[in-house]
Amino acid sequence: MDFVELDRSFVPLSKDQEPSLDVGRLWGRKIGGWLSWKDLLSHRRVVLLAEASSGKSEEFRHQTDQLNAENRPAFYVRIEELADQGFESALDLDSAKKFEQWRVANNSGWFFLDSIDEARLNRKSFETALKHFKRDLGESFAHAHILISCRVTDWKGREDHATISRWLPAWDSAVPLTSNEEGHNALLDPIFLKKSRTSKRQQSPELKPNELIVVQLVKLSSDQYRALAVAAGVKDVDAFVSGIEQNALEEFTERPGDLLDLAYYWISHERFGTLAQMTAHAVERKLKELDAHRPDNEALSLTKAVEGAERLAAALTLGKSFTLRVPSHDPDPFLTAGALDPSSILDDWTDAERNALLRRAIFAPATYGRVRFHHRSTQEYLTARWLHRLLMANCPRSEIWSLIFAERYGVETIAPSLRPAAAWLSLDHPDIRDEIIRREPLTLLRFGDPGSLPIDARKGLLIVYAAKHAAAEISDDSMDHRALWMFADQRLETAIRQAWNANCRVEFRLALLRLICEGAIKECADLARKIVIDQSADDYLRIVAVQALKACDDDKALRIAAKFLMAPKSNVSARLTPAFANILYPKHLSTDALLKLIARTDPQRRSTIEGFACHISALYDAAPDAAARAKLLRGLADLCLAPPFIENYQRISKRHHELARNLYEIGLREVRALGNNEPSLDLVRLVMAIERSDQHNSKLDDGNEKLHELIRANSRLIPRP
């Protein structure tokens, strides 16, 4: 398959702390401290640590091609070739000519040195390779940008850092940073630009261009793995992504190799298997070395790799740890505190076998000198397989039982650290499954694979859950919607009704409605109908009831709900109205009816979810056609520009000020789509409302395309004297 440009991101890797990717995912690359390829190429020395299946070599080769296409000299070479032949001898004829031209020109050049790990597997000296490289570059060395890759298990932290600094030093010559453009169209400045203060939280220390930085690849985003799936030949990518989300397979989309495995499975089977089947498939794939020519490929059979992974997973789980020490690293007590030593766990293995296992794609970097299982659920699954293997080898059942089950202060419970493994183990052992249901039934919904439970076990779980919840024996009943989707089955109708009648508590009935919704269990839709029109019912209960009716395609009940919502004396709260509208529009609510609801519903206050403000973009997206969008645009502009105003100098509706603040994304989308067409008066008035709401100021520094920039670039939108 040809290379697919995914615009990968990178995060600096600390020696003592695993990087958190949450900030970058939520707030963007810049605020999260992530780096792009453009950022990396501005540095003189970069080390990229990545595990198998992450695509590091492909990225190196592609960047080499891209830079050369831009007439910026770039060279790719494997480190083991450097150690054997030196740099010039490792180049092909064309690259060698280009290298000579670069040395004469004394301009910046980029050098991608790939795979310290493979060099070490072939018993090549990394230090010798760097000596050869520096010698061949000669005096032009000062102009070189050097990027080096390595699997995390073969990175020797302090030692390799010192080696690179010794043989490939980067001088501290100043590299000017590109400043943000300043100065905007003077005519638009008063309207769309007001200088905003930069918060201290947004200010972060910048990396020095000549500092040696160590980075790792960020996980693929949904947009990136969509693009990769299309390139792999997935025809219905929406169905593919929906299958991933419903089956809780997102953790198998984080690296290109993992995603391609899913894509090929989907192409072959036209569906995904159960979570248990997909987890077993992923474990087997990740324990294989995909490169048949790697020297350690024959050091370890797949059967032995599975056995070793199970033993390591069980040791981590029972030892209440998540990290393993990497062999050949300096045993820094501070950095390796809490990490287990694989040589103590696999003490009957050779060093070559242990090292080969830790290089497999099932492991991922934690910090310098430590690795972990790529996904916690994989560790939990493998722990269960180890326990299963013990039981099949005639280990006394009482020993396994005493590990999993416990009694605390007279309460029968499950050992917290073993709940996930127990849930996986229950799929093969009915007695363990029945005991889990008796003690803590929700364990089988929260962990393992709820979709692989036998239907009788699911029915029994619901009945026990209802009784325990009614007796206040369950303090936390939170459940992931995907777990409910996997657990749901049309054959649960009788059990759902029995549980509904046994427990009338709001929290419990909410869980049952969510189950009906996720499984589209039409035979239980009547339970949702009664809740929707019950004005004494909890708001959130009624919202989930309407969602369940939609999932069950109960059009008759939804029409009744819409009529109820529009009734003059319906007395529907400001929280409930927009939630109902989100579900009922546009099929059961017209655009005129929606605008009427927005006008009469109490407006949203700041930092609340009541009112239409935070729902307006989703409602606008749901408009069925251009005519409906135009009508909605006009109606929203009318509401936001209607008196009474906040102040005489701020002529924005006092009642709908928060609504106007949330029109920014709609305005951005409409102006972007305008092209060379003449803007409508309604769009102009909407933009006026956005400007008067002052919301554009908070959007100036988010790193994305700005409304004021789009207006400035479109002459038809610029006011004329």
Side-chain angles (χ1 to χ4, degrees):
M1 190 176 84
D2 293 336
F3 181 84
V4 180
E5 177 55 73
L6 299 175
D7 189 23
R8 301 295 297 273
S9 294
F10 308 83
V11 61
L13 185 62
S14 167
K15 68 178 182 178
D16 58 1
Q17 185 176 7
E18 188 169 357
S20 172
L21 303 180
D22 293 337
V23 175
R25 287 197 202 96
L26 292 173
W27 298 102
R29 176 186 283 169
K30 181 178 179 182
I31 295 176
W34 295 2
L35 306 174
S36 65
W37 265 117
K38 182 179 179 181
D39 298 321
L40 290 191
L41 295 176
S42 71
H43 286 268
R44 295 293 186 89
R45 303 293 180 265
V46 178
V47 173
L48 171 58
L49 298 184
E51 64 270 32
S53 299
S54 59
K56 60 181 174 60
S57 296
E58 290 79 2
E59 289 286 335
F60 266 23
R61 292 191 185 97
H62 178 67
Q63 286 302 315
T64 303
D65 294 340
Q66 285 288 97
L67 288 166
N68 283 320
E70 298 168 4
N71 293 320
R72 301 162 74 188
F75 308 90
Y76 171 90
V77 67
R78 300 176 69 83
I79 290 173
E80 60 182 297
E81 295 174 339
L82 275 179
D84 277 343
Q85 309 169 39
F87 182 70
E88 285 192 87
S89 299
L91 297 176
D92 59 38
L93 184 60
D94 290 340
S95 296
K97 290 180 179 177
K98 189 177 298 180
F99 177 62
E100 285 302 319
Q101 294 169 355
W102 171 76
R103 284 207 297 194
V104 172
N106 277 335
N107 293 326
S108 292
W110 284 264
F111 297 83
F112 297 87
L113 313 184
D114 196 18
S115 297
I116 295 176
D117 49 291
E118 291 197 24
R120 285 181 168 145
L121 280 174
N122 286 299
R123 301 184 182 280
K124 309 298 181 184
S125 167
F126 177 46
E127 187 166 9
T128 299
L130 297 191
K131 289 178 183 178
H132 289 172
F133 178 69
K134 185 176 183 181
R135 180 197 63 202
D136 288 352
L137 263 62
E139 294 181 359
S140 300
F141 175 78
H143 304 287
H145 294 252
I146 303 168
L147 298 93
I148 302 171
S149 77
C150 184
R151 286 195 186 182
V152 65
T153 46
D154 292 87
W155 173 247
K156 294 184 179 179
R158 196 163 40 186
E159 178 184 333
D160 286 340
H161 199 290
T163 300
I164 295 171
S165 298
R166 182 185 311 118
W167 295 107
L168 304 180
W171 291 273
D172 291 328
S173 56
V175 178
L177 298 176
T178 303
S179 60
N180 293 329
E181 285 189 8
E182 294 184 359
H184 298 272
N185 187 293
L187 186 62
L188 293 176
D189 278 352
I191 301 177
F192 287 101
L193 280 182
K194 295 174 184 176
K195 289 188 178 179
S196 57
R197 298 176 186 145
T198 303
S199 67
K200 290 184 179 179
R201 190 166 64 177
Q202 291 175 325
Q203 296 174 343
S204 57
E206 296 189 12
L207 294 167
K208 298 177 182 178
N210 297 329
E211 179 185 5
L212 172 62
I213 62 168
V214 181
V215 300
Q216 70 179 62
L217 281 158
V218 171
K219 303 170 185 176
L220 295 179
S221 68
S222 58
D223 289 339
Q224 289 171 325
Y225 75 66
R226 272 178 171 271
L228 196 55
V230 171
V234 173
K235 295 179 180 178
D236 189 347
V237 72
D238 288 334
F240 174 74
V241 172
S242 177
I244 287 172
E245 292 172 350
Q246 288 179 326
N247 289 279
L249 299 176
E250 286 93 342
E251 63 183 27
F252 301 136
T253 67
E254 295 174 355
R255 302 177 299 195
D258 298 341
L259 188 280
L260 291 175
D261 283 344
L262 280 185
Y264 297 145
Y265 188 100
W266 177 272
I267 292 169
S268 298
H269 300 84
E270 297 184 344
R271 62 175 181 81
F272 290 124
T274 64
L275 180 57
Q277 291 169 338
M278 298 307 299
T279 302
H281 171 77
V283 165
E284 181 176 331
R285 293 284 296 174
K286 290 174 184 176
L287 284 173
K288 288 180 179 178
E289 175 50 64
L290 301 182
D291 183 356
H293 302 292
R294 279 182 67 90
D296 63 344
N297 194 38
E298 297 180 358
L300 193 63
S301 68
L302 176 60
T303 301
K304 191 162 188 177
V306 171
E307 177 196 343
E310 290 175 358
R311 288 169 64 181
L312 291 177
L316 288 170
T317 300
L318 295 173
K320 299 181 181 179
S321 178
F322 291 104
T323 56
L324 296 162
R325 293 182 186 179
V326 175
S328 75
H329 278 259
D330 293 335
D332 187 324
F334 176 74
L335 298 182
T336 57
L340 303 187
D341 186 351
S343 64
S344 299
I345 303 165
L346 304 176
D347 55 350
D348 54 336
W349 285 33
T350 65
D351 288 338
E353 289 172 331
R354 285 192 293 267
N355 293 342
L357 176 60
L358 291 176
R359 291 189 185 104
R360 297 298 194 253
I362 203 167
F363 296 102
T367 59
Y368 286 7
R370 292 188 291 181
V371 296
R372 57 174 173 77
F373 279 95
H374 197 268
H375 310 294
R376 183 176 295 187
S377 64
T378 301
Q379 178 181 320
E380 296 161 354
Y381 169 82
L382 287 169
T383 299
R385 299 313 300 167
W386 178 77
L387 293 170
H388 173 73
R389 188 187 296 272
L390 290 181
L391 289 170
M392 293 300 98
N394 295 321
C395 171
R397 212 164 191 82
S398 59
E399 294 296 324
I400 304 299
W401 199 273
S402 64
L403 272 178
I404 297 172
F405 300 111
E407 184 173 323
R408 297 289 184 270
Y409 306 107
V411 177
E412 292 181 316
T413 185
I414 304 170
S417 61
L418 283 170
R419 283 172 183 153
W424 282 114
L425 187 62
S426 73
L427 299 180
D428 295 309
H429 299 274
D431 59 333
I432 292 176
R433 180 173 64 238
D434 292 342
E435 186 64 16
I436 293 173
I437 291 174
R438 189 180 74 82
R439 293 176 180 235
E440 296 185 22
L442 293 189
T443 297
L444 298 182
L445 263 168
R446 291 190 178 122
F447 306 109
D449 179 12
S452 292
L453 293 172
I455 194 65
D456 288 341
R458 300 189 213 188
K459 291 177 180 178
L461 188 155
L462 282 177
I463 302 307
V464 174
Y465 172 31
K468 282 185 170 290
H469 191 281
E473 294 178 10
I474 295 180
S475 58
D476 179 11
D477 59 355
S478 58
M479 287 173 283
D480 185 83
H481 72 94
R482 291 167 299 188
L484 287 170
W485 179 85
M486 289 185 279
F487 181 85
D489 191 288
Q490 299 295 330
R491 293 170 292 176
L492 292 176
E493 176 200 355
T494 302
I496 290 173
R497 291 186 182 279
Q498 186 176 345
W500 183 277
N501 293 329
N503 189 338
C504 63
R505 297 177 68 181
V506 170
E507 296 85 357
F508 179 76
R509 289 192 167 181
L510 181 62
L512 289 186
L513 285 173
R514 289 178 60 206
L515 180 62
I516 295 168
C517 179
E518 293 295 338
I521 303 175
K522 296 183 179 181
E523 291 78 3
C524 294
D526 60 300
L527 300 176
R529 290 185 209 122
K530 296 175 183 177
I531 294 295
V532 168
I533 59 174
D534 182 359
Q535 296 195 50
S536 65
D538 176 80
D539 277 355
Y540 195 51
L541 197 66
R542 296 172 74 186
I543 291 169
V544 178
V546 175
Q547 292 171 345
L549 292 177
K550 184 175 182 179
C552 294
D553 291 325
D554 194 336
D555 280 342
K556 182 178 179 181
L558 291 171
R559 285 195 298 271
I560 293 172
K563 186 176 180 181
F564 173 80
L565 183 63
M566 294 304 301
K569 297 182 180 180
S570 62
N571 195 28
V572 181
S573 71
R575 176 188 297 176
L576 203 60
T577 301
F580 271 31
N582 263 328
I583 299 163
L584 298 171
Y585 179 77
K587 189 173 182 180
H588 301 96
L589 274 181
S590 67
T591 301
D592 287 328
L594 176 61
L595 287 168
K596 185 177 179 181
L597 281 175
I598 296 172
R600 81 181 192 192
T601 301
D602 290 340
Q604 180 171 321
R605 295 167 294 171
R606 284 204 182 186
S607 304
T608 69
I609 59 171
E610 296 181 357
F612 274 91
C614 64
H615 298 268
I616 198 62
S617 290
L619 288 165
Y620 194 79
D621 288 340
D625 50 42
R629 284 192 297 275
K631 182 180 286 188
L632 198 51
L633 199 74
R634 185 182 314 118
L636 292 172
D638 288 344
L639 288 172
C640 294
L641 295 174
F645 302 127
I646 292 179
E647 299 287 353
N648 287 334
Y649 60 84
Q650 190 176 4
R651 299 177 68 79
I652 190 74
S653 170
K654 186 174 182 179
R655 177 175 175 81
H656 296 293
H657 179 224
E658 277 302 308
L659 180 64
R661 288 175 58 85
N662 282 269
L663 296 177
Y664 186 93
E665 296 301 328
I666 295 174
L668 184 66
R669 196 178 318 148
E670 289 297 324
V671 172
R672 189 185 290 129
L674 189 60
N676 293 322
N677 297 320
E678 193 72 31
S680 68
L681 178 60
D682 297 326
L683 178 56
V684 172
R685 297 180 75 243
L686 186 83
V687 170
M688 287 170 56
I690 296 169
E691 182 274 323
R692 293 179 183 180
S693 74
D694 224 19
Q695 176 64 355
H696 59 276
N697 276 337
S698 64
K699 300 288 182 177
L700 291 180
D701 296 320
D702 63 0
N704 298 318
E705 199 170 23
K706 315 298 190 303
L707 181 56
H708 74 269
E709 292 173 350
L710 289 174
I711 293 176
R712 195 153 46 93
N714 191 323
S715 60
R716 295 174 182 270
L717 284 167
I718 297 177
R720 293 175 175 81

